[in-house]
Amino acid sequence: MQQKDMENLLHNLSHKSGNPEAEQAADRMRAAMNTPQGRQAAQKIMKNYGNSLEQAAHLAQAGDLNAAKKSIQSLMQTPEGAQLAAQIAKMMGR
């Protein structure tokens, strides 16, 4: 999975999921990825965990939000995921 693929996937989730919570999360993720730190973390995530992220996105698009959430939670426990999560939290003023 390349960064452009990830951006497209997040765009689709943020505009086509029909789930406002998922849409907001995807929008925040896309915004975080547009910062230097976010891009660096995203590149590491895609290199090491791209398949898992893609699987989570497909689960979410198929409506299995619980399985997608578990997959993303596992990803966020990695050093790269934690870095990206911290960037998102910073952007949200937390």
Side-chain angles (χ1 to χ4, degrees):
M1 175 182 268
Q2 301 295 320
Q3 184 162 352
K4 187 68 175 169
D5 295 330
M6 188 175 197
E7 290 172 8
N8 288 337
L9 194 64
L10 289 170
H11 175 78
N12 287 339
L13 283 174
S14 67
H15 292 94
K16 298 179 183 178
S17 72
N19 180 321
E21 191 173 303
E23 292 172 3
Q24 291 173 356
D27 284 339
R28 287 191 300 267
M29 181 80 81
R30 285 177 48 221
M33 286 176 46
N34 286 322
T35 66
Q37 292 171 326
R39 280 190 292 277
Q40 183 180 19
Q43 287 172 348
K44 288 180 183 177
I45 288 170
M46 287 183 294
K47 179 180 176 186
N48 298 324
Y49 308 100
N51 291 336
S52 296
L53 183 59
E54 192 169 0
Q55 180 182 7
H58 289 300
L59 289 167
Q61 288 175 330
D64 193 349
L65 297 179
N66 286 330
K69 183 178 177 180
K70 286 179 185 178
S71 181
I72 294 297
Q73 286 173 333
S74 296
L75 176 63
M76 291 309 195
Q77 293 177 3
T78 67
E80 296 88 356
Q83 182 182 2
L84 189 56
Q87 185 67 24
I88 293 169
K90 181 179 176 183
M91 292 178 65
M92 296 177 63
R94 294 182 180 174

